[in-house]
Amino acid sequence: MAGFALTTEQVAIVEHEGSAFISACPGAGKTRCIVERARAVLSKSETRHGLAFLSFTNAAVSELQERLAKNRLLPAPIFPHFVGTFDSFIWHYLVEPFGLDGCDNPLKVIPGTGDLIVTPFPGAQGLRLDCFERSTGKIIPEEARKVGFNRDPARYETAAQRLRVRLLERGQLDFDDVRRIANGNLADKAFSNRLGCILSARFGEIIVDEAQDCNPDDLSIIDWLRDTAKIPTKVVCDPHQSIYGFRGGVSDELFKYASTFAENEQLPLTGNFRSSLHICKVVHTLRAPSHRGEEEALGPLKDCDLNVHVLSYGGKGVSTQIGTAFTTIADKSGIDPKDCRLTAKTRNIVD
Amino acid sequence: MYLKELSLNNFRSFKSSTVSLQPDLTILVGENNSGKSNAIDALRLLTPPLSGRREIYCQLTDIRFDTGTGFDLSARYDDLNAAQQGRLVSACPDKAMTDAVFGLSYDETKGGFPTRPALWAGIAGRTPESGSHDMIRHVYLPALRDAKYALASGNPTRIYALLRHFLKDADPADLIKALSRDTDHEILETIGGSVDDGLEALTAGVRQQTASLGFSKDEKLIDIARDLKFSLADQGIEPEDLSYSGHGYANLLYMATIAVELENVSNADLTLFLVEEPEAHLHPQLQAAVLAFLKDRAVKSRETPKDDGSPAGEIQVVVATHSPNLTASVPSKSMVFLRAVVSETETATPAAGAGGEGGVAAVEEVAVIATEATGVETEKAPPTLRRETRSISLADLLTNAKERRKIDRYIDVTKASFMFGGRMFLVEGIAEALLLPVLAEKIVLKDDEAALRRFRSTTFVPIDGVDFQPYVKLLITPQNDIRIADRVVIVTDGDGPKTLENGLTAGENRKRIYDEIAEGVDATTICATYINDYSLETELLSAGNHDVLKAAYIVCHPQSEEKWDNAVAPAGDELATSMHTLFKETRKGDFAQVLAELIEDGAEFVVPKYLSDAIKSISA
């Protein structure tokens, strides 16, 4: 990928000053684009602001860090720049420095607080803190059923609330607490303006990668960065690759959000450097008509003429016939089964 | 941005103290052992050195007198611009975001082995954003400088640092090549050849060796640095080897080489320039030049604020000094006075509920526990007396701008010694200033060696008709439970018989005012005012020194014996008036010189009560 000259679309992004919504197809070279944008910004000697690169998984963050390091674009330590997860950014710049009313200790993120056991009196059956609603403190019926708890929850609920209060007093937060506090801080207009001012003095641009993994909450924070803090924000996503259902990532919200960008700020990447033309065509067909973009195969494999085979199966399970048919097709195309990649919903299927 | 407050807890001579600093230049003054160097060292521990070469580390011996298991230092920075607030956001102590705080905790029981300090930002325990701490650095100029040694040939450190500084990231290879020396000369070859003869004979049987003589083939930058030498001379004269120069100018050269490091400040938001005893080896005029140089660097660095978000590159100078010359050359608001006072400390006890730190309050707690708990087996050791550094920031003490300006105009080198002396004798004029020491030595304190020693350490300040209420207030107003002066005694004329509207003579009125000032700050035991009824000369005469005074007067005015006799004839108010007229044509200082000489030569003399009281008071 690195050997290719940048496409017109990619150049448009690398040279674009200000906010942008970048909708990229798979294999579009998003990371390369981001790295080149970093190079363009950092090579200008007048640049004194930091750059912030946000993503949603540690894997994505590592990949980007590696690429930036390989290209010798960031100093070590990377200060004043930032490369990290969205949660990490929120923690460092919206929550940690500002403390919590009623807590004199430094704040710490303790991911496992949900696993703490609530026992209202010695000898009682312990229930995980996760079993209790965060805001109301009431026990969550499904969780109670899961562990076979059917007693009067009142004393447990009180104990759970007390435990949460104690954790907050000690400054021991979990990710949800962090979000809640961040939103609370931003809701304070005076604080929000002050913070927006200093963050925009610190960061000249923010690039959010894998934004398809944002939930509405995340989007409102990106909004805050772009509109209140007035930091140019480039949102990069593949709207069709959202995999974190549990985080509430929703495609509709994302498209709605895209429309808040001006027309000259919509910079799509339609060149697919990974897949063959045939695959692109199939994907195009499989998508809902309203979501069909123009996708062009540009990579080294674009002319690969291996056909795409769609094998359907009825019922709930995947039968072994699928496996046989797969191996036959692979054989015919001269591909060693060892070189085949399988992705499936569960391990069982693959076996 | 500047360092506004330095807080020290349990660090060396500091129990629990905060030192306030000024944006451009702060002078730490105090007598020896007051804690000035400790404050400077605290700043060196709290900030990384600009050059990256760390020269000081936290040590167990930094823990105050072995009380407790550790110490805490913190620095609060104020006046941050938006970009600085953004860069130092992790050092925010609160939601206001205006200040940044960086601190250091050193705890024997928590830091691992060997104990390492924990750096924190914002509040104790919070990790600073990686790289943020490097935005504030320091450059240190030590006290004992043998500049000639430090810059001498053979000692490459400073010169190497300079070479590195100016080469920046460039490869030194070109420079080395350009500066390296030719190894071609027949005499070197001859020497090589001769040596080789012997060497061959010695080594042929085992493993034959050859040798040659020349300059290092593989010179590194440090080798070049070792061979470079500084020369120094008056402008326009051929520079001479540094070894021919005196320590003073060599020191200035040394300072100049350190100041070069300040050019790197643009990479940091703030650089503290910490200077110990810049006056060392320096003549007073040069001392003033150094200070002006330091202040100029600081002011220039703030002249053009950066609004492009880049590091501000500001400089803040902190100087520790003993010199009244330096002290007199800066405005009073730049001064911070340090002194070590004695306070009761409990000796280290294993952590009981009593808390421990907190000074007087903690000691009282201990006493209460001891009396109530009769069955206490562990004997609490009696509180020991230990010294503790406290500070007075003159900027905070002198809040009245008008008074502050009066003081700044008033202070010169003599009066600046109030920052070091402790005992101040404020006298009416030059006559008193000349006479009082003689009276003390010869008569009043003649047999009291100890009191005489204390008298000799007193600073005399002639009032010369100036309103020095601001000056008195400065000397005795407390801050952090300490005062600048140990004792202040004021001697002034009654200026009778004329009275003011309130019925008091001018002198009585002045005394009333000074006594009120002293009462107002609870300083009546250390500040007293003594007045006469009329004037010095009149009182001396009335005390019964007619013959001596006449003799002195005749020396000054050989033709005026009759004039004298007529003037001294009356008594009471009339005498005062005639003496006043008589001395209108006599220079009081000259008269006092003559009189002092006569007394020193053994003339009988009676000291007026107000003067002997004043002398005894200042030497108490």
Side-chain angles (χ1 to χ4, degrees):
Chain A
M1 245 269 29
F4 282 82
L6 294 173
T7 65
T8 331
E9 286 176 336
Q10 287 174 326
V11 168
I13 291 167
V14 169
E15 292 179 352
H16 181 87
E17 293 301 327
S19 301
F21 186 85
I22 297 154
S23 177
C25 68
K30 296 191 282 94
T31 315
R32 173 135 191 253
C33 229
I34 293 173
V35 168
E36 292 308 316
R37 172 65 188 159
R39 194 197 305 279
V41 173
L42 295 170
S43 61
K44 279 195 287 213
S45 54
E46 322 92 62
T47 306
R48 289 322 209 137
H49 294 157
L51 282 181
F53 302 87
L54 277 53
S55 193
F56 281 85
T57 60
N58 288 320
V61 168
S62 305
E63 155 99 35
L64 187 58
Q65 266 170 346
E66 244 182 76
R67 296 272 279 270
L68 289 167
K70 227 195 313 186
N71 283 275
R72 306 238 188 100
L73 289 170
L74 295 182
I78 62 173
F79 182 88
H81 309 294
F82 174 86
V83 181
T85 61
F86 198 80
D87 275 322
S88 175
F89 183 88
I90 290 177
W91 167 245
H92 280 110
Y93 301 107
L94 269 56
V95 175
E96 189 193 15
F98 311 109
L100 189 59
D101 289 332
C103 171
D104 290 328
N105 301 334
L107 303 181
K108 300 243 182 314
V109 180
I110 317 271
T113 53
D115 290 330
L116 290 173
I117 305 295
V118 178
T119 38
F121 48 86
Q125 172 189 4
L127 289 178
R128 285 169 56 254
L129 189 58
D130 259 350
C131 299
F132 300 87
E133 194 82 47
R134 188 176 287 268
S135 42
T136 60
K138 297 270 176 264
I139 197 164
I140 301 170
E142 305 85 71
E143 298 294 329
R145 263 200 298 278
K146 268 197 220 159
V147 293
F149 178 81
N150 50 11
R151 295 199 205 95
D152 176 9
R155 289 179 74 173
Y156 281 82
E157 286 167 347
T158 322
Q161 280 295 58
R162 250 188 295 131
L163 178 56
R164 285 212 200 275
V165 168
R166 262 213 318 279
L167 288 170
L168 286 180
E169 277 171 5
R170 288 200 288 241
Q172 294 172 328
L173 315 171
D174 66 16
F175 290 115
D176 284 326
D177 288 323
V178 173
R179 281 311 180 100
R180 199 175 36 85
I181 294 169
N183 289 331
N185 284 346
L186 295 185
D188 174 348
K189 211 143 188 264
F191 178 90
S192 157
N193 286 334
R194 270 200 314 278
L195 184 60
C197 189
I198 75 176
L199 287 184
S200 79
R202 161 96 186 250
F203 293 111
E205 184 161 308
I206 298 182
I207 301 178
V208 183
D209 194 11
E210 313 283 6
Q212 69 275 5
D213 290 333
C214 284
N215 57 35
D217 215 16
D218 301 336
L219 288 178
S220 69
I221 291 188
I222 299 181
D223 239 358
W224 180 85
L225 289 169
R226 185 188 64 168
D227 299 335
T228 310
K230 301 223 189 340
I231 305 172
T233 309
K234 291 186 163 63
V235 178
V236 183
C237 65
D238 179 352
H240 303 290
Q241 260 194 68
S242 173
I243 60 172
Y244 280 107
F246 74 86
R247 290 182 100 249
V250 175
S251 273
D252 287 339
E253 289 289 339
L254 195 60
F255 287 123
K256 226 189 330 176
Y257 185 62
S259 62
T260 65
F261 285 79
E263 207 175 308
N264 69 331
E265 291 174 339
Q266 310 265 4
L267 304 171
L269 286 173
T270 59
N272 185 331
F273 287 86
R274 186 184 302 145
S275 311
S276 71
L277 181 58
H278 290 320
I279 294 177
C280 288
K281 282 193 188 153
V282 169
V283 167
H284 181 88
T285 323
L286 288 175
R287 287 212 186 118
S290 57
H291 287 173
R292 283 177 191 162
E294 332 257 318
E295 201 171 297
E296 210 188 325
L298 294 177
L301 292 172
K302 67 178 188 227
D303 295 322
C304 172
D305 60 1
L306 277 179
N307 284 323
V308 177
H309 300 263
V310 180
L311 309 168
S312 68
Y313 53 91
K316 284 219 178 134
V318 181
S319 80
T320 47
Q321 289 177 333
I322 299 286
T324 324
F326 183 87
T327 347
T328 319
I329 296 170
D331 253 348
K332 261 208 232 140
S333 310
I335 300 174
D336 194 330
K338 279 208 299 285
D339 293 332
C340 297
R341 296 253 167 85
L342 289 175
T343 59
K345 203 167 166 188
T346 68
R347 175 105 214 176
N348 290 337
I349 299 171
V350 175
D351 289 339
Chain B
M1 170 167 134
Y2 73 99
L3 199 172
K4 186 175 174 162
E5 277 175 6
L6 167 67
S7 296
L8 310 100
N9 284 295
N10 223 40
F11 179 76
R12 299 196 192 162
S13 64
F14 288 87
K15 199 145 104 180
S16 180
S17 209
T18 300
V19 177
S20 299
L21 300 165
Q22 300 299 303
D24 285 332
L25 173 67
T26 308
I27 312 270
L28 303 178
V29 287
E31 50 188 39
N32 291 76
N33 262 17
S34 57
K36 304 189 293 293
S37 292
N38 294 341
I40 299 267
D41 280 350
L43 293 173
R44 292 168 73 203
L45 289 172
L46 274 169
T47 54
L50 187 68
S51 62
R53 284 187 316 271
R54 200 157 248 301
E55 287 162 348
I56 183 176
Y57 298 88
C58 293
Q59 295 181 342
L60 288 176
T61 44
D62 291 330
I63 302 174
R64 177 178 161 75
F65 297 126
D66 279 334
T67 55
T69 56
F71 65 80
D72 273 284
L73 301 172
S74 72
R76 176 178 284 261
Y77 301 89
D78 200 357
D79 245 15
L80 279 64
N81 64 31
Q84 286 162 341
Q85 287 170 311
R87 281 191 284 276
L88 300 179
V89 67
S90 65
C92 242
D94 52 42
K95 286 191 174 161
M97 299 176 220
T98 49
D99 299 347
V101 180
F102 280 104
L104 187 154
S105 295
Y106 183 83
D107 193 325
E108 229 184 327
T109 57
K110 294 197 193 117
F113 183 78
T115 313
R116 260 175 272 276
L119 197 62
W120 53 263
I123 61 175
R126 187 196 299 162
T127 316
E129 187 176 353
S130 173
S132 61
H133 186 237
D134 289 336
M135 296 311 290
I136 301 157
R137 292 173 167 252
H138 75 260
V139 172
Y140 175 64
L141 193 63
L144 290 176
R145 297 181 290 277
D146 186 343
K148 285 161 69 165
Y149 171 75
L151 291 174
S153 147
N155 192 334
T157 317
R158 283 271 78 234
I159 295 178
Y160 179 72
L162 286 169
L163 286 169
R164 269 258 78 97
H165 170 88
F166 283 100
L167 278 170
K168 295 199 205 310
D169 293 321
D171 187 5
D174 288 333
L175 176 68
I176 292 170
K177 202 151 157 229
L179 294 179
S180 67
R181 276 180 282 199
D182 213 350
T183 317
D184 258 329
H185 194 280
E186 57 175 276
I187 201 167
L188 296 178
E189 285 186 41
T190 314
I191 295 176
S194 294
V195 171
D196 249 354
D197 285 338
L199 193 59
E200 188 189 327
L202 288 166
T203 58
V206 188
R207 188 169 294 151
Q208 175 134 10
Q209 307 280 303
T210 62
S212 62
L213 182 65
F215 291 112
S216 169
K217 287 185 183 33
D218 190 19
E219 275 196 309
K220 302 275 189 304
L221 199 60
I222 188 99
D223 299 310
I224 300 219
R226 200 171 280 123
D227 290 340
L228 288 171
K229 300 200 296 186
F230 265 112
S231 305
L232 188 62
D234 280 32
Q235 191 178 47
I237 297 180
E238 189 63 37
E240 307 259 15
D241 193 277
L242 198 60
S243 55
Y244 293 121
S245 177
H247 280 290
Y249 283 105
N251 250 289
L252 292 180
L253 178 61
Y254 184 83
M255 269 188 234
T257 63
I258 300 260
V260 163
E261 285 195 36
L262 288 179
E263 288 187 19
N264 261 337
V265 299
S266 54
N267 298 330
D269 269 315
L270 177 67
T271 303
L272 304 174
F273 194 7
L274 307 171
V275 187
E276 292 224 64
E277 291 176 33
E279 67 270 15
H281 303 300
L282 293 180
H283 185 59
Q285 271 86 336
L286 282 181
Q287 291 181 35
V290 167
L291 210 62
F293 169 77
L294 295 174
K295 174 131 197 211
D296 183 60
R297 288 280 145 137
V299 169
K300 269 216 175 65
S301 73
R302 281 163 206 280
E303 248 164 24
T304 38
K306 305 262 178 69
D307 40 316
D308 62 348
S310 58
E314 290 175 319
I315 297 173
Q316 184 176 358
V317 182
V318 181
V319 173
T321 186
H322 284 304
S323 163
N325 298 82
L326 284 182
T327 311
S329 65
V330 298
S332 51
K333 72 174 181 355
S334 297
M335 294 185 223
V336 170
F337 173 76
L338 293 174
R339 88 182 309 169
V341 294
V342 166
S343 66
E344 289 191 342
T345 325
E346 40 182 272
T347 47
T349 49
E357 290 88 73
V360 180
V363 173
E364 281 169 357
E365 256 180 69
V366 171
V368 165
I369 293 170
T371 51
E372 284 183 0
T374 46
V376 175
E377 330 79 59
T378 47
E379 226 178 66
K380 295 269 184 208
T384 43
L385 295 175
R386 287 240 140 98
R387 59 178 173 78
E388 180 201 331
T389 301
R390 304 242 188 98
S391 71
I392 293 182
S393 146
L394 264 67
D396 294 337
L397 197 65
L398 301 166
T399 45
N400 181 322
K402 213 164 162 197
E403 287 188 345
R404 191 163 28 85
R405 281 196 293 273
K406 273 190 177 172
I407 286 178
D408 284 344
R409 269 179 246 120
Y410 187 63
I411 284 184
D412 61 16
V413 176
T414 321
K415 302 177 199 97
S417 42
F418 78 79
M419 291 294 256
F420 310 92
R423 287 172 198 269
M424 304 295 291
F425 210 161
L426 307 179
V427 298
E428 184 68 51
I430 186 74
E432 285 87 348
L434 290 169
L435 272 174
L436 284 166
V438 176
L439 297 178
E441 299 258 352
K442 285 280 162 180
I443 303 164
V444 183
L445 302 176
K446 193 174 57 170
D447 296 313
D448 192 346
E449 189 58 42
L452 207 49
R453 257 183 264 127
R454 288 189 290 270
F455 185 85
R456 286 190 201 120
S457 75
T458 305
T459 305
F460 278 74
V461 179
I463 301 168
D464 284 333
V466 162
D467 157 37
F468 57 93
Q469 281 178 52
Y471 194 60
V472 171
K473 279 196 210 152
L474 173 66
L475 293 174
I476 62 177
T477 304
Q479 191 187 96
N480 292 328
D481 284 331
I482 56 166
R483 303 168 209 269
I484 292 176
D486 284 331
R487 296 190 77 82
V488 178
V489 170
I490 306 164
V491 170
T492 181
D493 287 337
D495 285 339
K498 263 206 315 261
T499 54
L500 307 166
E501 254 181 37
N502 55 12
L504 300 172
T505 60
E508 281 169 341
N509 194 48
R510 276 197 296 274
K511 176 169 161 65
R512 181 186 62 85
I513 292 172
Y514 298 138
D515 285 344
E516 259 170 34
I517 293 174
E519 268 167 48
V521 293
D522 213 12
T524 45
T525 46
I526 62 159
C527 179
T529 309
Y530 296 89
I531 57 171
N532 54 32
D533 291 328
Y534 305 109
S535 73
L536 174 70
E537 292 77 16
T538 312
E539 300 291 323
L540 291 176
L541 186 70
S542 312
N545 298 307
H546 180 272
D547 292 338
V548 195
L549 284 167
K550 178 170 179 180
Y553 188 79
I554 302 298
V555 171
C556 294
H557 303 278
Q559 315 295 328
S560 306
E561 188 170 345
E562 205 181 319
K563 211 171 170 190
W564 172 268
D565 288 336
N566 289 338
V568 303
D573 289 356
E574 271 185 55
L575 177 64
T577 319
S578 69
M579 287 293 275
H580 179 76
T581 318
L582 186 70
F583 274 89
K584 260 218 197 104
E585 288 151 33
T586 308
R587 301 238 297 245
K588 295 180 134 211
D590 289 344
F591 179 76
Q593 289 274 33
V594 177
L595 186 59
E597 186 116 13
L598 290 172
I599 298 170
E600 273 178 340
D601 287 342
E604 284 290 318
F605 201 83
V606 180
V607 181
K609 183 167 188 307
Y610 84 106
L611 287 180
S612 64
D613 283 345
I615 290 171
K616 289 200 198 119
S617 178
I618 196 66
S619 3

